Amino acid sequence: MNASTQTLHAPADASGRNTHSRGSRIGNWWEHHRWSAGSSLRRLAARPFGSLLTIAVMGLALALPLAFYLLLGNVQQLGNALGQSQAISVFLQPGQAAPQAQLLAQQLGNRPEVAAVTVKTPQQGMDELAQMQGFSGALHTLDDNPLPYVLQLQPRAGVSAQALEQLVADVRTLRSVDLVQDSGSWRQRLDALLGVGNRVVLVLASLLALAALLVVGNTVRVDIASRSEEIGVLLLVGASGAFVRRPYLYAGIWYGLFSGILAALLAVLIELALAAPVARLSQAYDGKLQVGGLPPWLLLAVPLVAAALGWLGARLVSAWQLRKAV
């Protein structure tokens, strides 16, 4: 039995004239939905190359925003490891004694923005310089230690950038402080860059979703055009627009669903491909860099959203094509 015969003998009342009970009408409606879903799936399987090509194009288009979202999320984690948790170095005035450094460390440690304060003595600073290549010989020529006490302030987790800016400004006004080194401006630039990246991902996802919708729409348009005579016969015998449209809507759903599954699988493969280099990068930062993957809810939502896009593309094109056929 060919596709045309199947459509003409679909298990539903094409004329719309129904003399059965309400239960029979619901049964016919449900039976035609079930038949339309199966028939559209069989038509996709009947032309595997064209169907797989359409699904592959849509899947790659939907996988790109997922890849960029994964990249931005990991860059955000890298920024947190390098910037948000980086200590603020406070260099005291030369000549400050140990009791004065300890007192100031205690005062700064009581601030709500500070999680911990580490006091680095001039001797510790000298030892660090001695371990650096090229400095050990020069240090032996010094009569005394010119390095000051250094306080390293560890910001508390979750503190906003504005609070850290205020902390740095307050510390710089202290008379015993000579210099404050802070990466606040670097963090602001990184946050601004991430904001631009998030907006780019949103725009890219919207454009690629539109591209997926157009791919489905064009595929359905070609399918409807190839069956124009059959559709004309159905309309002549009184078939409603919803009856004629239904198989094509399910075709759009199948295209979207399979392409969404493919996009989710590609995103998982990208995560697996990056697992080894990311693990080495995390080890380089003593495990402080926590790199994550895409959340499971997002991977599950992609096929559903893609199926909705496929339905929408098929719905718009089929309605337009049927208006031309009437």
Side-chain angles (χ1 to χ4, degrees):
M1 183 180 295
N2 57 32
S4 300
T5 306
Q6 287 181 0
T7 303
L8 290 171
H9 291 83
D13 186 2
S15 65
R17 292 184 292 270
N18 194 347
T19 59
H20 301 291
S21 65
R22 180 179 177 84
S24 299
R25 290 197 303 269
I26 294 176
N28 290 336
W29 177 84
W30 170 253
E31 182 66 18
H32 188 250
H33 271 278
R34 187 184 64 81
W35 176 87
S36 298
S39 176
S40 59
L41 185 59
R42 288 190 294 271
R43 285 184 62 83
L44 264 65
R47 48 175 191 273
F49 180 76
S51 300
L52 289 176
L53 186 61
T54 301
I55 292 171
V57 171
M58 292 179 59
L60 290 174
L62 295 174
L64 284 176
L66 294 177
F68 281 108
Y69 183 83
L70 176 64
L71 177 62
L72 274 181
N74 289 324
V75 171
Q76 179 68 55
Q77 295 293 336
L78 178 62
N80 291 337
L82 297 181
Q84 296 293 343
S85 61
Q86 187 172 356
I88 300 172
S89 298
V90 180
F91 295 84
L92 302 186
Q93 293 283 354
Q96 296 289 323
Q100 295 171 315
Q102 292 293 342
L103 180 60
L104 181 58
Q106 183 178 1
Q107 293 175 352
L108 295 177
N110 292 331
R111 293 184 62 112
E113 307 93 340
V114 179
V117 180
T118 303
V119 180
K120 182 180 294 185
T121 65
Q123 185 58 45
Q124 290 175 332
M126 186 69 70
D127 294 339
E128 291 181 2
L129 285 177
Q131 294 175 0
M132 298 176 63
Q133 186 176 5
F135 280 92
S136 57
L139 294 178
H140 292 298
T141 62
L142 297 176
D143 296 331
D144 55 0
N145 191 340
L147 299 179
Y149 278 89
V150 179
L151 307 183
Q152 290 186 331
L153 310 183
Q154 189 69 29
R156 194 177 299 276
V159 176
S160 64
Q162 292 78 9
L164 290 179
E165 289 180 5
Q166 186 61 44
L167 172 63
V168 172
D170 293 342
V171 172
R172 282 175 176 160
T173 60
L174 299 177
R175 295 182 57 186
S176 58
V177 173
D178 183 32
L179 177 66
V180 178
Q181 286 186 348
D182 176 46
S183 58
S185 58
W186 180 85
R187 286 196 298 267
Q188 290 177 357
R189 288 193 293 268
L190 178 62
D191 291 341
L193 181 62
L194 290 174
V196 173
N198 288 327
R199 186 61 56 88
V200 169
V201 169
L202 181 61
V203 173
L204 181 64
S206 301
L207 291 177
L208 292 176
L210 178 61
L213 187 147
L214 293 177
V215 168
V216 173
N218 184 67
T219 303
V220 172
R221 182 191 63 80
V222 173
D223 195 9
I224 292 177
S226 66
R227 304 173 66 182
S228 58
E229 294 182 359
E230 175 187 336
I231 293 174
V233 172
L234 288 174
L235 294 175
L236 285 176
V237 299
S240 64
F243 180 90
V244 177
R245 257 194 324 263
R246 200 162 289 147
Y248 303 105
L249 299 184
Y250 274 102
I253 291 174
W254 290 126
Y255 278 125
L257 182 64
F258 293 143
S259 63
I261 294 174
L262 177 60
L265 291 176
L266 290 175
V268 172
L269 291 177
I270 293 174
E271 289 184 24
L272 295 177
L274 296 177
V278 163
R280 290 193 296 268
L281 181 61
S282 179
Q283 291 177 358
Y285 287 96
D286 299 327
K288 296 179 181 179
L289 178 58
Q290 301 295 328
V291 180
L294 293 172
W297 66 265
L298 180 59
L299 296 176
L300 294 176
V302 168
L304 300 179
V305 173
L309 286 174
W311 175 88
L312 180 60
R315 177 67 175 82
L316 295 175
V317 171
S318 60
W320 177 63
Q321 288 286 95
L322 291 179
R323 280 198 299 269
K324 291 174 57 179
V326 175

